[in-house]
Amino acid sequence: MFPEFRLRYSRLPERFYQRFRPEPVSRPQLVAFNRTLAEELGFDLAALPDEAELAGYFAGNRLPAGAEPVAQAYAGHQFGMFVPQLGDGRAVLLGEVVDRAGRLRDIQLKGSGPTRFARGGDGRAPLGPVLREYLVSEAMHTLGIPTTRSLAAVATGEAVYRERRLPGGVLTRVAACHVRVGTFEYFAARGDAEGLRLLADFVIERHYSQLAELSGGERFVALLAAVQERQATLVAKWMGVGFVHGVMNTDNTAVSGETIDYGPCAFMEAYHPRTVFSFIDHGGRYAYGNQPGIVMWNMARLAETLLPLIDPDDERAVARAMEVLERFPERYEAAWLEVMRAKLGLVQEQAGDPELIADLLQAMQGGRADFTLTFRRLCDCAESPTADRGLLTLFEEPTAIASWLTRWRQRLGAEGRAGSLVAAGMRTVNPLYIPRNHLVEQALAAAVMEGDLAPFQALHAVLARPFTEQPGRERYALPASDEERVLRTFCGT
Ligand code: AMP
Ligand code: MG
């Protein structure tokens, strides 16, 4: 039923992981199964077993043939503080498969029992956060943002205890690979140069094969630059949809450039760069507007681990790494401008663009305008001035946005493309539907508290086509009312 495993990570030396057999749960029940992704991964959909057997596999009760589960070792900076050993406390990599496009993909169970890295945790996950990751990661994918994917969610039939008793769950997660900046930090902290080199080579082979020909220190300078490029692009894309990751610790930063570890993440409604949702982020370290700076900081942590591979002479190594890191602001700015120009329907680059974008954001901040709807209604404005009213009503104070609209129209006019064409293009990058917090919370509450999966499935279906207006689904596009608004999110892990 599973595609053939091609084990890679579990062929690395033993100190990279702990072999760990998922601990069976008593009454596994399949809550969600991603057939499209299964197909993409090479599952034979025609030969799928019944739901009970599927649930057994995705709960970890049955081990697919050829899997050799391992919990991966890693370290990480959490809220700026270094923790030399984290690792998969409650997750196992079953192994890698080759998908239909020929790419290697990790299949991991999360919530499958306490490993050596559990540090006192129970190794389990509540069903709520499992469904949250399922929903939000799949939404990120349909929004066109690199992310780990969700293949299945299972209810374990067992309780987990957090502040209260909650139903347990297991998520089956698919990633290009699960190596994190924190994985590099794990070996660096141990002074394990050989481990570092093996890891770097593993990552190059897996994600950056264009660097395979490089040798000596240049190979690792290029690796740093390549990871940095993908992370800069990734965060620019987050910024373009108002996504706040919430826990951008180095152990939650994948070197593949995929969004990983959905905890207290959330989408911003009214635009403000200091937007924070996570209950544990007291200082606002991981606020919306801080994300580019934080990812640059995380790249500096990655750079530190690579120094011994770059050059045996520390000063020379630092100089080479700094040359790369110093390019981050420029690389990020370029990626962000690309995202924002597309959102504004601009295809040419003009010197005044950064200012035009900044002034729009300023107007949104002053007018407390909904981020997603502002851009979506701008698409209509590109087509017809009669749509301006719909945009202006999003702003508490419309003076600034009204004069900004005039400037934007002049800028668009200079490109000379037909309004309908501009609008159509803008609608392919400005979503109408995002996983708004209150909708996500409502769907999870119904699933977890009442066993009612209908709201989860309905929301999932809407988010599968975020750029397409879906008649009858109007409320999914709207910001939360004052009573519905969710200001705080919890990892709940
Ligand atoms: P996270 O906040 O989910 O990124 O997790 C941070 C670290 O804590 C990772 O090493 C996780 O494996 C570990 N962890 C989180 N929750 C649990 C749990 N319930 N049991 C064991 N380990 C956990
Ligand atoms: Mg994590």
Side-chain angles (χ1 to χ4, degrees):
M1 152 7 229
F2 271 73
E4 190 191 334
F5 281 96
R6 307 277 179 86
L7 302 175
R8 290 288 189 278
Y9 202 84
S10 63
R11 292 296 173 265
L12 287 166
E14 296 277 335
R15 63 189 189 284
F16 278 68
Y17 49 77
Q18 177 202 5
R19 294 193 184 276
F20 182 86
R21 165 111 206 190
E23 288 185 1
V25 301
S26 56
R27 283 176 296 119
Q29 242 192 327
L30 195 63
V31 177
F33 177 59
N34 190 337
R35 293 181 71 90
T36 319
L37 178 60
E39 163 92 58
E40 186 182 314
L41 291 173
F43 280 77
D44 182 1
L45 292 188
L48 280 190
D50 63 17
E51 278 208 3
E53 199 172 320
L54 274 182
Y57 280 114
F58 295 121
N61 286 19
R62 287 166 178 266
L63 208 55
E68 283 184 27
V70 295
Q72 294 174 296
Y74 53 83
H77 277 84
Q78 298 187 310
F79 289 89
M81 306 284 281
F82 186 59
V83 184
Q85 180 165 309
L86 290 164
D88 289 333
R90 49 160 172 179
V92 287
L93 174 67
L94 293 179
E96 297 88 345
V97 300
V98 182
D99 70 15
R100 292 198 195 272
R103 294 169 305 192
L104 271 178
R105 311 276 289 267
D106 279 9
I107 302 186
Q108 189 203 60
L109 301 182
K110 185 170 168 184
S112 50
T115 73
R116 170 154 78 75
F117 306 111
R119 299 177 301 145
D122 61 1
R124 294 297 181 186
L127 183 60
V130 164
L131 292 179
R132 189 183 170 80
E133 175 155 357
Y134 190 102
L135 204 57
V136 181
S137 67
E138 286 305 298
M140 289 288 270
H141 174 70
T142 58
L143 288 168
I145 299 174
T147 176
T148 60
R149 305 288 307 277
S150 295
L151 180 62
V154 165
T156 60
E158 292 175 0
V160 294
Y161 297 86
R162 296 299 181 256
E163 281 95 47
R164 55 208 165 110
R165 184 188 153 97
L166 295 165
V170 177
L171 178 75
T172 303
R173 177 160 81 178
V174 175
C177 104
H178 282 85
V179 172
R180 305 140 192 270
V181 169
T183 320
F184 282 84
E185 290 179 291
Y186 180 87
F187 294 102
R190 282 157 185 74
D192 182 352
E194 197 213 33
L196 264 176
R197 175 176 280 274
L198 283 171
L199 182 67
D201 286 341
F202 178 89
V203 169
I204 288 171
E205 188 189 326
R206 187 90 177 249
H207 302 293
Y208 303 101
S209 55
Q210 73 276 18
L211 311 180
E213 299 305 308
L214 296 176
S215 58
E218 285 318 296
R219 184 177 169 84
F220 306 103
V221 175
L223 174 61
L224 175 63
V227 175
Q228 170 166 284
E229 185 69 25
R230 285 209 197 158
Q231 282 292 333
T233 310
L234 176 66
V235 174
K237 289 187 174 177
W238 290 356
M239 300 302 274
V241 294
F243 178 74
V244 185
H245 181 285
V247 218
M248 291 175 68
N249 296 332
T250 55
D251 52 303
N252 294 337
T253 303
V255 297
S256 65
E258 292 179 306
T259 312
I260 194 170
D261 277 4
Y262 292 83
C265 61
F267 284 72
M268 178 170 64
E269 295 201 306
Y271 174 77
H272 199 296
R274 285 205 299 273
T275 302
V276 177
F277 295 99
S278 169
F279 180 66
I280 52 169
D281 191 1
H282 307 293
R285 178 182 170 89
Y286 298 138
Y288 172 79
N290 287 354
Q291 297 184 120
I294 287 292
V295 86
M296 182 169 87
W297 191 88
N298 290 351
M299 291 302 98
R301 305 289 78 75
L302 174 64
E304 284 166 359
T305 70
L306 295 174
L307 293 177
L309 301 181
I310 291 174
D311 199 305
D313 178 275
D314 198 46
E315 242 170 74
R316 280 207 302 266
V318 169
R320 293 295 286 122
M322 283 304 291
E323 282 168 29
V324 174
L325 295 172
E326 278 164 2
R327 288 203 300 271
F328 182 90
E330 163 202 319
R331 300 309 308 148
Y332 171 73
E333 179 83 358
W336 182 75
L337 277 175
E338 192 179 323
V339 168
M340 297 307 286
R341 277 201 187 94
K343 286 180 80 69
L344 293 184
L346 305 173
V347 291
Q348 294 167 11
E349 295 178 17
Q350 284 192 16
D353 293 346
E355 205 183 323
L356 184 72
I357 298 163
D359 290 348
L360 170 60
L361 295 176
Q362 196 63 47
M364 287 165 69
Q365 185 175 333
R368 302 168 56 78
D370 184 79
F371 184 84
T372 306
L373 284 186
T374 296
F375 285 100
R376 187 69 185 192
R377 294 200 184 160
L378 262 184
C379 310
D380 306 331
C381 297
E383 214 158 20
S384 159
T386 58
D388 288 8
R389 243 188 72 79
L391 175 72
L392 296 188
T393 56
L394 297 172
F395 291 70
E396 282 175 8
E397 213 298 277
T399 322
I401 186 66
S403 63
W404 183 89
L405 266 179
T406 310
R407 276 168 64 202
W408 174 61
R409 286 217 168 88
Q410 280 166 0
R411 171 71 178 82
L412 269 182
E415 299 201 351
R417 295 159 66 233
S420 54
L421 197 71
V422 174
M426 287 174 72
R427 290 193 188 100
T428 66
V429 291
N430 291 306
L432 177 57
Y433 307 104
I434 51 157
R436 293 184 182 268
N437 294 333
H438 66 291
L439 299 174
V440 173
E441 298 291 336
Q442 287 164 12
L444 299 191
V448 172
M449 299 307 164
E450 288 143 48
D452 177 10
L453 284 173
F456 171 84
Q457 285 158 350
L459 179 56
H460 185 259
V462 171
L463 294 171
R465 292 180 300 141
F467 300 106
T468 309
E469 193 166 341
Q470 300 169 41
R473 303 282 180 271
E474 289 75 14
R475 75 178 184 90
Y476 290 91
L478 297 179
S481 63
D482 288 341
E483 303 81 65
E484 289 171 323
R485 188 163 299 124
V486 177
L487 293 173
R488 284 283 164 265
T489 50
F490 303 86
C491 295
T493 55

